[in-house]
Amino acid sequence: ASSSDEHDVVIIGGGVAGYVAAIKAGQEGLKARLSLTTTACIEKRGALGGTCLNVGCIPSKSLLNNTHLYHQILHDTKKRGIDVGIVKLNLEQMMKAKQTSVDGLTKGIEFLFKKNSVDYVKGMGSFVNEHEVKVDLLDGGEKTLRGKNIIIATGSEATPFLGLNIDEERIVTSTGALSLKEVPKKMVVIGGGIIGLEMASVWSRLGADVTVVEFLNQIGGPGMDAEVAKQAQKILQKQGIQFLLGTKVTNGSDSGSTVSVNVEAAKGGKEQTLDADVVLVAIGRRPYTAGLGLENIGLEIDERGRLVIDQEYRTKASHIRVIGDCTFGPMLAHKAEEEAVAAIEYIKKGFGHVNYGAIPSVMYTHPEVAWVGQNEAEIKASGVKYRVGNFPFSANSRAKTNLETEGFVKLISDAETDRILGVHIIGPGAGEMIAEATLAIEYGASSEDVARTCHAHPTLAEAFKEAAMATYSKAIHF
Ligand code: FAD
Ligand code: NAD
């Protein structure tokens, strides 16, 4: 390769992990010196932002917000003293609004790349050897980049369901479910994890008859506290979503007009067939490393396809690091972002840090579900003595004025040290409120620290303070 193709850092993948690493590298001075551009980010999609911005977090939150508004206007205005006239869905416009948000944000990253002198290379990257990545450029031709450091940030893809051929129109992953052209009459969702429940909410609010089939006896996917999951299921059922728990899909077929899926009790036994216009496969995601040429450099992947790394994100080739969905840890955008910053700090300064014990999770249904730290079952299993403080939103004044009183805050603390071990919230604004809990855990706060911190009145966050109070004393308002 010529000298102009030589970089301090070459990043493969322009998703949250990759683009944040690129910007951080630029800021850290791993950037243009004389004519030498020293940070390059390779992305094959034709747009930056990866799954999250293009077909994940952002479009799903746009649809969740606007379908909630639509649903609320249809069903939740009268008691508030608002009489509305004819309410009509304009799905095409709703999809345009979604695209406007996506486009604005992806273009914003292109601007940040320019601002931080990051070389944006559009194409598919694959390893030639440990220091060289060949890029098949999107507009034809190829080029080889040589990196002193290389970061793999190639993300993940939906796990397919054997026997159901994804066409993204009738048998869809989340990608197709974010762009349906009409509201399906009947929708079957395979998998009651976060994707399943967020997408079930979107289409159910718009009028689809939605059934979620979940293998386990609990919805919400890994991590969600059982008590919270139970409450979430109750609320979502009340909203019209049907659930088949402890049930697995065995196979399916597409007649051209109807997609049928056969299900049976997870433990064996009762079988039934569910017919639908649209079937969403949401049984998890798996690391994406296809076409990356890993075989050319012999990097190790584990049984779940995750690239194997050490604590500093290094593969066995120590100048090649891996961050985000294609390696260990929760598949979350903010986790990818933290790792991106830490990986660049390791390269530049030799040290970095991510606290994996303080990564929040949010499910953006209505109401939202959010948690950070360990759930009760995990704490019980660890053998630590603990106390639980519960505070219902029905006793919170702001929730009362908003006429949104479903849900509660559950705070679990160490019975001996009072340190907060986990916070689990189901209720209005849970996704914002969890930031305070995350900060508390990050700083090693005790529940008394939180309970003795003055919270503004009337706010939903007072429910968090009172749940903390309830662990070692009594909540005032409940
Ligand atoms: P990705 O975002 O997948 O980015 C990887 C990029 O690498 C892709 O753009 C891909 O095209 C590119 N690439 C791959 N191989 C190559 C190659 N060889 N050469 C060049 N480019 C390559 N997380 C949250 O925290 N909050 C949410 O609300 C949320 N909502 C979600 C909703 C949905 C429907 C989905 C599917 C996911 C959601 N997630 C959410 C998860 C989040 O999207 C991921 O955790 C995040 O995108 C991971 O970032 P990443 O950079 O590791 O991978
Ligand atoms: P998930 O792992 O959260 O849930 C998948 C669910 O499918 C599990 O509950 C599992 O028991 C079930 N399942 C698996 N096989 C099944 C089968 N054959 N029949 C019935 N049920 C089956 O995965 P997901 O919901 O697909 O999400 C993928 C990733 O994307 C997750 O890591 C998630 O954190 C991330 N994500 C995050 C957000 C968010 O943060 N708001 C939103 C969407 C996606």
Side-chain angles (χ1 to χ4, degrees), residues 36-226:
L36 209 67
T37 300
T38 71
T39 297
C41 181
I42 307 166
E43 171 54 60
K44 69 181 171 65
R45 185 187 294 271
L48 292 168
T51 304
C52 179
L53 262 71
N54 292 284
V55 287
C57 328
I58 298 305
S60 61
K61 266 79 259 179
S62 167
L63 291 182
L64 279 157
N65 185 60
N66 292 335
T67 56
H68 171 62
L69 211 52
Y70 172 73
H71 196 253
Q72 185 166 32
I73 294 169
L74 275 183
H75 302 288
D76 187 28
T77 51
K78 257 205 163 53
K79 69 172 187 235
R80 298 172 187 277
I82 308 166
D83 288 334
V84 286
I86 297 165
V87 181
K88 269 174 61 190
L89 171 68
N90 182 342
L91 186 60
E92 208 182 320
Q93 181 55 33
M94 199 178 269
M95 292 294 172
K96 271 192 198 150
K98 175 196 74 169
Q99 205 52 44
T100 302
S101 306
V102 169
D103 291 345
L105 287 165
T106 53
K107 286 276 174 301
I109 302 171
E110 280 192 39
F111 164 77
L112 291 172
F113 270 21
K114 286 200 185 99
K115 188 173 156 197
N116 290 290
S117 308
V118 175
D119 189 3
Y120 173 21
V121 184
K122 297 181 187 167
M124 170 81 187
S126 64
F127 283 97
V128 179
N129 56 45
E130 283 191 357
H131 279 283
E132 286 182 317
V133 180
K134 177 174 77 92
V135 186
D136 287 317
L137 297 166
L138 285 186
D139 51 11
E142 60 175 60
K143 126 185 210 183
T144 299
L145 306 182
R146 217 183 135 71
K148 275 188 214 138
N149 296 282
I150 298 177
I151 294 180
I152 303 177
T154 50
S156 63
E157 61 178 355
T159 306
F161 188 91
L162 279 179
L164 282 177
N165 288 328
I166 306 286
D167 61 15
E168 295 297 11
E169 285 189 5
R170 289 152 42 76
I171 303 179
V172 299
T173 65
S174 50
T175 299
L178 289 167
S179 292
L180 297 181
K181 292 189 187 72
E182 54 188 65
V183 181
K185 282 197 185 60
K186 274 187 157 250
M187 184 171 191
V188 168
V189 175
I190 309 178
I194 303 228
I195 291 188
L197 298 178
E198 288 187 352
M199 289 298 102
S201 291
V202 163
W203 294 106
S204 154
R205 290 167 186 169
L206 297 181
D209 175 352
V210 181
T211 302
V212 176
V213 184
E214 167 57 51
F215 183 78
L216 302 175
N217 289 315
Q218 176 184 317
I219 62 166
M224 192 180 289
D225 186 85

Side-chain angles (χ1 to χ4, degrees), residues 294-313:
L294 291 180
E295 63 284 0
N296 297 336
I297 50 171
L299 291 190
E300 194 186 341
I301 54 174
D302 75 357
E303 73 294 344
R304 286 166 62 184
R306 298 173 296 193
L307 276 149
V308 175
I309 48 168
D310 68 8
Q311 306 249 337
E312 299 183 11
Y313 311 105

